[in-house]
Amino acid sequence: MITTIVLVDDHPVVRRGMQALLEAQPDFSIVGEAGDGLEAVRIVERLHPDVLVLDLMLPSLSGLEAIRTIRQRSPQTRVVVLSMHNISAFVASALRDGALGYVLKGSEEENLVHAVREALAGRRFLSPPVTERAVDAYIEQSRAVHIDLHETLTDREREVLQLSAEGKTGSEVASRLHISHRTVENHRASLMRKLGLKNQTDLVRYALRRGLISLEE
Amino acid sequence: MSDELERQLAQLKPGDHICHIYSSDLERMAVAVPFVRDGLSRGDRCVYASDDAVGGFVEALNAAGIEVARECERGRLQLLTKRDSYLRWGSFAPEAMMGFLCQAEAQALADGFSGLRFASEMTWALGPEPGCDRLIEYEAMLNRFVAGGRSVILCQYDHSRFGLSYIHDVLLTHPVAVLGALVCPNPYYEPPELVLFPAPNATAEFKAKRVAWWIAQLKRARVDFQERETMFRNLQALSRQLIGVQESERRHLARELHDEIGQALTGLRLLVQSREDLPTGEVKARCEQVRGIVDELLERIRGLSFDLRPSALDQLGLLPALLTLFERFTSQTGILVHFKHEGIEGRFAPEVETTAYRITQEALTNVARHAGVREATVRVWATADTLNIQIEDRGSGFDPEVALAAPASNGLAGMRERVTLLGGHMSIESCPGSGTQLTAQLPLTDFKFD
């Protein structure tokens, strides 16, 4: 069985290198080449190769967008990315968009051949120093968490918030905290901005909701 | 030049009351024609009242490609003389004229137009008819009429016919003036309650009010002037700083290219020089060396490219670019970044993404250089209309006033400038010994550069 491969990179020198490397394998056949993302989509659509090897940085249509389109229009084609970037963000995005292999340009030659064979078997392959662990850590980090806006306040702002909510005037807060009236106003403006409060009523309502003050007193 | 005038006239909005002070018929048409044409294209009903015959104006409109007869037939354009408008009652009464305009505006809206455009040639006011001396009173009242309504009103005055004090009073009563080829906000304008004749027993109060207004205007002009001057000086300083930054970046890049990459390439060249007498073992060893140097070069170029502009920011967006930055920052400095984010998975305007990224980068650089800590916290969260960035450490801290005044040694002033350019806000909370917290807020809506 001959494995059909399409190569995509905007640099002819890189394509020539990849071609020599892959064609040294007797069962590999390069059936097409492209120099940009749009061309890549067109060629894959026409030839439906077993494997597509492509760079992520491509003119006209980025590599990631090309992968997304190709996965829809030629689902049997397995995708191996050949990239300059050892950056988890790119690895994670490529895998999410449907690539099976991620090989760094400049890594050992065997890696590319190995990645193509693994992809053919439906298995994932990341060339060192890219690791699954780094990708997992990246995905974990990219999850949003709820940010309690109260934690964005400085200690000083919390004090000013507390005293203002208790109904103290600017000058009272200033003398209590041994800072100038103007500094108090700055802290007040800053904390209101952070919490998205518009006026004193909002401020008191916020303090009540957070339990900073209570109605009983 | 007349294109420029037309562009400025096209900026007029409902509620505008404009005077045009002109000296020739050519000038009069140069403003009246585009005023009408622009109104027609916006779907306003356009009414033009001229002193006597409408012939000259019709000719000018036709020459400008407006089919006058057809537009009149469809009710989009009305051409009146003073006897159909200002003096239709045989004399001039501002109250009656106000009623006439109210009626015209209501009718235009009822007929499906988006508003009313009313332009007039004002020479009729010099006529002998009773009431003509109440012209300025009328002009002042018009400002109340247009406010909040759907009308735009243009009054054209021939300054060779009207006396100086008349022209002065005209300027007092029009918030916008067209002079030559310029549409200007009129600094002589005074609100109607100051211009309209007061009740006789309120004269002293009226006088005081008007003087207070003049003084307030003077003060405001002075404040404006000072603000502009400060702004200008800040801009100049910023330009100088930008040029300095650009040159130092180029210097760094040149050194990196020449000293590091150039030298490595020279070494490579020596290694690959063909020497037939080399034993096989030596050739192998050299190949290994070449590989090592090439790998090192690749790494350097990746680093250089990342520092110049991380491709993740353009290709993937803010969140992936920040995660990449933190990974690199931690591996280079050993400082751990606790990162919390909410609502920033999507893409933002490129200017917003770049600013948010550069602020975080710059703030972390400062943490590494000055704070003396092993960890820092970064929070980035988006609300419906703002993107918020906060970088916090529990390190040595500093006096923000001092740091902001010394723009060369840290990026704080530049960061603030970047945020201000986007219409955002940046605050720094720090004092020696108690850590630093930098918070920036960038607006996500109403973001315009012009």
Side-chain angles (χ1 to χ4, degrees):
Chain A
M1 260 293 269
I2 293 291
T3 299
T4 52
I5 301 174
V6 164
L7 294 180
V8 183
D9 195 295
D10 53 337
H11 297 98
V13 188
V14 178
R15 285 212 301 270
R16 232 181 296 141
M18 287 199 287
Q19 189 175 12
L21 193 71
L22 293 170
E23 287 207 316
Q25 304 292 314
D27 56 335
F28 284 3
S29 168
I30 311 298
V31 293
E33 290 184 21
D36 69 56
L38 280 177
E39 212 185 321
V41 171
R42 271 198 291 273
I43 288 189
V44 170
E45 255 181 323
R46 187 154 50 84
L47 302 176
H48 295 290
D50 297 320
V51 179
L52 165 72
V53 177
L54 94 166
D55 188 6
L56 284 186
M57 303 298 149
L58 291 174
S60 79
L61 186 69
S62 82
L64 288 172
E65 280 169 82
I67 295 175
R68 281 197 286 274
T69 315
I70 284 164
R71 291 297 300 152
Q72 278 173 7
R73 302 201 187 158
S74 182
Q76 74 270 39
T77 300
R78 307 274 160 82
V79 178
V80 172
V81 168
L82 185 66
S83 169
M84 191 62 183
H85 297 292
N86 174 19
I87 289 178
S88 307
F90 280 112
V91 186
S93 305
L95 296 178
R96 183 200 58 208
D97 289 344
L100 273 174
Y102 194 99
V103 179
L104 278 185
K105 280 185 187 175
S107 77
E108 301 298 323
E109 281 91 5
E110 310 84 81
N111 281 331
L112 182 58
V113 175
H114 190 60
V116 171
R117 294 205 185 280
E118 288 295 287
L120 269 174
R123 284 190 296 266
R124 206 187 245 199
F125 176 78
L126 310 177
S127 83
V130 180
T131 60
E132 293 278 356
R133 232 182 71 192
V135 175
D136 289 343
Y138 172 84
I139 293 170
E140 183 55 39
Q141 281 274 296
S142 64
R143 281 203 188 98
V145 289
H146 176 64
I147 294 178
D148 177 2
L149 290 182
H150 204 70
E151 72 182 73
T152 69
L153 301 183
T154 61
D155 295 343
R156 203 44 125 189
E157 284 164 357
R158 283 171 213 215
E159 290 168 343
V160 172
L161 169 64
Q162 181 72 42
L163 295 170
S164 304
E166 287 168 6
K168 305 268 185 304
T169 66
S171 336
E172 283 168 346
V173 176
S175 70
R176 178 78 78 88
L177 298 178
H178 308 292
I179 51 180
S180 76
H181 188 261
R182 210 181 125 216
T183 309
V184 171
E185 287 310 313
N186 285 343
H187 285 308
R188 226 175 92 91
S190 172
L191 75 90
M192 307 244 302
R193 201 179 312 112
K194 285 177 181 173
L195 300 175
L197 309 175
K198 300 266 178 287
N199 48 43
Q200 177 70 16
T201 317
D202 282 357
L203 189 148
V204 171
R205 203 177 286 142
Y206 176 85
L208 273 172
R209 206 173 52 232
R210 281 221 66 109
L212 300 177
I213 51 171
S214 64
L215 287 173
E216 277 81 63
E217 287 176 55
Chain B
M1 181 158 122
S2 82
D3 281 355
E4 172 58 18
L5 175 62
E6 287 186 32
R7 197 187 60 76
Q8 293 180 45
L9 286 171
Q11 316 260 322
L12 296 174
K13 296 176 302 299
D16 277 337
H17 176 206
I18 311 108
C19 64
H20 175 215
I21 297 173
Y22 70 93
S23 59
S24 73
D25 243 25
L26 204 65
E27 264 186 56
R28 170 157 80 102
M29 300 308 174
V31 170
V33 170
F35 181 79
V36 166
R37 184 166 48 201
D38 189 51
L40 289 174
S41 75
R42 276 162 199 271
D44 289 345
R45 169 171 282 157
C46 299
V47 181
Y48 190 86
S50 56
D51 184 43
D52 269 316
V54 293
F57 188 56
V58 170
E59 243 170 66
L61 287 176
N62 276 325
I66 296 167
E67 297 176 59
V68 176
R70 220 173 109 232
E71 299 291 7
C72 288
E73 213 169 285
R74 290 162 67 189
R76 283 158 45 96
L77 179 64
Q78 288 178 1
L79 299 172
L80 311 175
T81 65
K82 62 183 171 189
R83 259 165 273 289
D84 311 316
S85 50
Y86 292 98
L87 301 175
R88 64 188 308 173
W89 304 276
S91 62
F92 178 64
E95 297 78 9
M97 191 57 202
M98 218 52 71
F100 174 82
L101 283 173
C102 278
Q103 172 81 39
E105 182 185 87
Q107 191 60 51
L109 294 176
D111 291 346
F113 292 96
S114 54
L116 175 72
R117 273 192 179 225
F118 185 68
S120 337
E121 205 297 306
M122 304 301 287
T123 307
W124 60 265
L126 297 175
E129 288 82 358
C132 281
D133 56 343
R134 292 183 66 196
L135 173 69
I136 294 304
E137 194 186 342
Y138 161 75
E139 290 284 25
M141 287 162 76
L142 261 188
N143 292 314
R144 289 193 181 140
F145 164 74
V146 291
R150 301 293 312 164
S151 296
V152 189
I153 296 183
L154 170 71
C155 311
Q156 299 191 292
Y157 287 87
D158 181 344
H159 77 60
S160 63
R161 292 176 195 249
F162 285 86
L164 258 187
S165 69
Y166 227 131
I167 297 290
H168 176 250
D169 286 351
V170 166
L171 283 172
L172 280 185
T173 47
H174 292 79
V176 181
V178 182
L179 304 162
L182 294 174
V183 178
C184 341
N186 178 8
Y188 295 103
Y189 171 73
E190 293 183 22
E193 62 270 22
L194 296 183
V195 179
L196 285 174
F197 289 85
N201 58 356
T203 312
E205 192 195 338
F206 168 77
K207 207 176 124 190
K209 238 166 81 180
R210 200 157 178 195
V211 170
W213 159 269
W214 290 336
I215 291 171
Q217 292 299 100
L218 284 176
K219 280 188 183 150
R220 215 181 61 190
R222 189 178 153 75
V223 170
D224 278 357
F225 177 77
Q226 280 171 332
E227 272 174 8
R228 263 156 226 259
E229 213 174 355
T230 313
M231 215 189 300
F232 176 70
R233 252 188 261 116
N234 287 347
L235 272 177
Q236 265 188 329
L238 185 70
S239 301
R240 266 200 303 277
Q241 206 183 323
L242 278 179
I243 292 169
V245 167
Q246 192 187 31
E247 284 308 319
S248 81
E249 276 184 355
R250 286 184 176 188
R251 198 174 303 123
H252 167 71
L253 207 57
R255 194 178 304 139
E256 193 75 7
L257 284 174
H258 180 265
D259 295 359
E260 304 297 335
I261 292 167
Q263 295 301 337
L265 285 170
T266 312
L268 271 184
R269 195 169 194 288
L270 287 171
L271 275 174
V272 299
Q273 236 155 26
S274 70
R275 293 239 317 259
E276 279 156 25
D277 54 336
L278 277 182
T280 333
E282 174 72 2
V283 172
K284 250 197 163 155
R286 284 199 176 192
C287 273
E288 272 311 300
Q289 270 180 290
V290 166
R291 237 201 122 102
I293 297 177
V294 169
D295 284 350
E296 212 176 284
L297 271 174
L298 273 176
E299 202 41 52
R300 267 193 189 283
I301 290 173
R302 278 189 197 127
L304 206 56
S305 153
F306 182 90
D307 289 342
L308 282 176
R309 174 86 190 173
S311 52
L313 189 54
D314 294 311
Q315 303 256 335
L316 304 174
L318 182 60
L319 176 58
L322 286 176
L323 287 167
T324 308
L325 172 70
F326 301 151
E327 208 179 302
R328 208 174 133 87
F329 177 76
T330 302
S331 79
Q332 283 176 346
T333 63
I335 300 172
L336 207 61
V337 177
H338 301 286
F339 181 41
K340 282 176 116 177
H341 60 91
E342 190 176 2
I344 60 162
E345 289 88 353
R347 298 299 303 252
F348 303 98
E351 298 81 359
V352 173
E353 287 188 340
T354 303
T355 303
Y357 180 87
R358 292 298 184 201
I359 283 172
T360 313
Q361 185 181 33
E362 190 73 40
L364 283 179
T365 305
N366 283 343
V367 169
R369 270 197 205 139
H370 309 295
V373 287
R374 307 307 301 161
E375 53 184 22
T377 302
V378 175
R379 300 184 189 89
V380 183
W381 69 101
T383 66
D385 43 17
T386 57
L387 179 65
N388 306 270
I389 304 126
Q390 186 170 73
I391 299 96
E392 197 175 70
D393 68 69
R394 298 262 159 205
S396 49
F398 56 89
D399 183 342
E401 301 272 318
V402 176
L404 272 168
S409 59
N410 58 69
L412 290 183
M415 287 154 91
R416 172 159 287 173
E417 203 58 45
R418 282 190 105 120
V419 174
T420 311
L421 267 176
L422 291 188
H425 190 278
M426 185 178 111
S427 66
I428 304 158
E429 281 295 321
S430 183
C431 59
S434 75
T436 303
Q437 188 201 61
L438 184 149
T439 311
Q441 192 168 58
L442 306 175
L444 293 176
T445 46
D446 294 333
F447 168 70
K448 284 190 193 86
F449 255 127
D450 50 11

